[in-house]
Amino acid sequence: MNPAQDFAIKIIGERINPGFKSTRALFDNQDLAGIQALAIKQAEAGARYQNVNIGAQALTDPQWMARVIEAIQEVVTTPLSFDFPSKAVQEICLSCYDPAKANGELPIVNSITEHRWDLMELYGRFKFKVIMMASERVENGKALGNKTAEQIYSTARRAALRLKNDYGMPLDDIFIDMSVSAIIADTEGLNRSTVEAIQAIGADPELKGVHMMGGLSNIGQQLPPKAADGSDLKHCLENAFLTLTVPHGFDYVLGTPWRGYAPLPEDHHVLKTYRNFLEQSGSNALRAVRKFYKA
Amino acid sequence: MPSKRDLDLLHVVAKAPPPVRLSSVRDRMRGEALDLMRVEKLADAAYSYRIVELDTPVTETLRLTGEILHAPWLLPASGQLTALACAVCTVGPRLEARVSELFGQKRASLALALDGLGNELLFAASRQVQDRVLADVRRRKLTMCGELRPGDPGLGLDAHAAVLRLAQADAIAVSLRGGHTLMPLKSASIVMGVGIDLPAASWSRCDHCPSRAKCRIVERAEAETAL
């Protein structure tokens, strides 16, 4: 249950989220003990933080959300990450959170974007770390999706320095969410952009200290379970992504703590195929995807 | 002594996919059985548990409040075993009575579907009581390691009576019939090690099960864990 991560990465446990079938039942039944048990399992499996997402109920029943946070803190000392886009909800979460029960560690607000910056109005009244999504930027007052490495990198840089300079937030408290998209339909080179943006952020001396993170579960979506060499395709793809990005500073995964990640050797089929895929665009990218599972 | 009756587990089971893939006929029968359970209120799930301190010194023969359990597997490789959590859960007597009745009426398919649902309910009750024990243990700043049930390798069936007494099974009307059978039949008892800095168990009660390699429940649980 506690696989050592072979990468220099830490895990933000993602299981307290009704998006997981088994967790949804706990929320549907308001099963606090079940949620506590899940938090304990994630902590015991080495989660550095635990992400808390209670879905739409957060808006309709803030009291329930407060009970969830208090219940989790009753049984684990892992600091929490609050996964809600609403300022009102974040305010309740931060009010409920007791740093003393997490060995003095700050919670994480998950997440802000350049377009959704209002959550930072809570900074000062509350101390917290923040996850900043680099996948969108604001231009002429409009939110636009980032597609190129340059756009992702510039957004991340601008936001991180704004947090540092305008709010006095230590770079160590900033987590840049590098969205990792599914390769199955990635004809626009989004994976390549993400990998290159990670390299650029990691190489920027002014950003030294920021963390880079992301969820990896999208990357292998809708692919067959086995790669052409018989390996677990989804898991190997996640490891391939990490093999390429951890050396450049990608250091947190929003994931399942007991999943276990390890670098792939250079000659591993999935890593070689992923490298090839990253060089392709358009229909060539789709053809490259087939090579993961077709001999 | 924490105990709880009237656990509302039916909708948990109803929402969850069946533990194994069912043919369309069996799936339909499961749906009928669910309806029957709802209409006739056949589920009466309950649990009871206690965390009981061990007498010292702790040896392979564990002594606690006058009871003796021979459970050497629960002795940890490190840390300090200080207590046992003993739990019992049940889905109540009405379900099995109805299953018998259906067999008597020669409605075997529905009877089997209802019996299968009873197993699912018992799994859900078992998981719920274990979650509660784990949370309770952690609130006491203790850790938990190892799970055995009487009859498993590592804990004889003759331990059943002591485990039920320790879990105060009478609070939820679970008792032992001759031959170590629990009444109601759809009941289960559990023993878990509790203590200070206990390591994760390196064994599972399923390790020696002859069906493990082809067990579809284990296979599905592992697949879900990997997601």
Side-chain angles (χ1 to χ4, degrees), chain A residues 14-15 20-21 25-26 28-29 31-34 36-37 40-41 43-44 74-76 234 256 258-259, chain B residues 8-9 11-12 15 17 127-128 130-132 134-136 138-139 141-144 200 224-227:
Chain A
E14 66 176 350
R15 303 297 290 206
F20 291 97
K21 263 188 200 167
L26 302 178
D28 286 349
N29 300 316
D31 182 355
L32 278 178
Q36 286 179 315
I40 293 166
K41 286 170 198 163
E44 288 180 347
E74 244 180 55
V75 294
V76 294
K234 263 188 162 186
T256 299
W258 46 88
R259 189 133 170 80
Chain B
D8 186 11
L9 295 176
H11 67 289
V12 175
K15 279 181 189 165
R127 193 217 30 94
Q128 199 163 98
Q130 284 179 280
D131 283 353
R132 268 148 191 78
L134 179 60
D136 192 343
R138 189 49 77 94
R139 275 194 294 273
K141 311 286 181 209
L142 295 170
T143 50
M144 225 161 80
E224 279 177 4
T225 302
L227 284 177

Side-chain angles (χ1 to χ4, degrees), chain B residues 10 14 28 53 63 87 90-91 139-140 147 190 202 207:
Chain B
L10 192 53
R28 184 167 53 79
E53 282 193 24
R63 293 168 195 277
T90 183
V91 300
R139 275 194 294 273
R140 299 172 193 215
E147 171 202 339
I190 313 163
S202 56
D207 286 348

